Amino acid sequence: MTKPVRSDVGILALCVLAFCLAMGFGEHLNVWIGTGGAAAVSLLLLRWAPGVEGRDAWNATRRNVLLGVGTGLLMAVATWVLYPLSTELLPEIETEVTKLYALLRQAPGPIAAFPVLLLVVLAEERVWRGLAIDVFGGARPGARAAVLAAIVYTFPQIAFRSPLLVAVALACGLVWGGLRVYTRGLAAPLLAHLVWDLLVFVLFPVA
């Protein structure tokens, strides 16, 4: 494994901190301003990350594009199926989901804020499936790097103090990290992330 550049570790920490602050103040700050600001700061910081060769290789082959879109669709279907089942077992999940959707409906709303959503997804993929996986795994990252990156992906949700979002972030992080490792590029996880967000949070919300 290639030893991570020290500045990469520092930049990763700053990016994670930016999203933690945005989520930590989520109840007092417009979610689109908070997460959009964190995304913009992270993308700027990434310009100074020396990184591991190939980090920004999207590897957007037809196969990987279809894999990403298909994975996002399957994740959305799983969400729609599992949500009513999970609320029967744990009714408090409905309260958490209602709270989340209330934040997303803040002005200008999820549809008008699509450019911000796209910016956030892009930043999260470059930070957690790009920089984080490279830091943990080097030039040829494997499952261990994907798992560690997924764990770090839960930190902003911990700052938001939502056990549900921590669990969801971990599950999604493992899937998207697995796509990054399997396809050796960011195109598949980014598309899976974007498709899932659009379907579950914008077009066909579960609550």
Side-chain angles (χ1 to χ4, degrees):
M1 181 182 77
T2 304
K3 186 177 181 180
V5 179
R6 181 176 297 179
S7 59
D8 273 1
V9 178
I11 288 172
L12 174 61
L14 289 174
C15 292
V16 173
L17 177 61
F19 276 98
C20 285
L21 289 174
M23 296 300 289
F25 290 98
E27 295 182 354
H28 309 287
L29 178 68
N30 183 290
V31 68
W32 300 111
I33 295 175
T35 57
V41 167
S42 296
L43 290 173
L44 286 174
L45 288 169
L46 287 170
R47 294 173 61 88
W48 285 279
V52 178
E53 183 180 357
R55 166 176 307 150
D56 293 322
W58 293 97
N59 201 12
T61 64
R62 180 180 178 183
R63 170 179 170 274
N64 289 343
V65 167
L66 291 175
L67 180 61
V69 172
T71 300
L73 289 171
L74 287 175
M75 290 176 67
V77 171
T79 303
W80 295 324
V81 170
L82 293 175
Y83 176 71
L85 299 176
S86 62
T87 54
E88 290 184 6
L89 296 174
L90 297 170
E92 57 269 25
I93 287 178
E94 187 172 1
T95 301
E96 288 290 313
V97 170
T98 301
K99 175 183 174 183
L100 172 62
Y101 278 114
L103 291 176
L104 295 176
R105 293 186 182 110
Q106 291 177 339
I111 295 177
F114 174 75
V116 180
L117 177 64
L118 182 59
L119 182 72
V120 171
V121 170
L122 174 63
E124 289 187 348
E125 290 310 306
R126 290 196 61 200
V127 169
W128 277 281
R129 262 61 69 181
L131 179 58
I133 285 182
D134 283 347
V135 165
F136 294 128
R140 295 182 66 83
R144 176 180 175 274
V147 170
L148 291 174
I151 292 172
V152 177
Y153 188 50
T154 67
F155 288 5
Q157 320 312 325
I158 294 173
F160 188 60
R161 300 174 295 279
S162 171
L164 173 64
L165 284 184
V166 170
V168 171
L170 180 60
C172 290
L174 289 171
V175 172
W176 298 330
L179 283 175
R180 156 69 205 278
V181 170
Y182 178 69
T183 64
R184 301 198 181 280
L186 291 176
L190 185 142
L191 287 170
H193 189 166
L194 184 60
V195 168
W196 182 72
D197 274 12
L198 281 174
L199 291 175
V200 172
F201 293 134
V202 180
L203 300 177
F204 305 104
V206 298

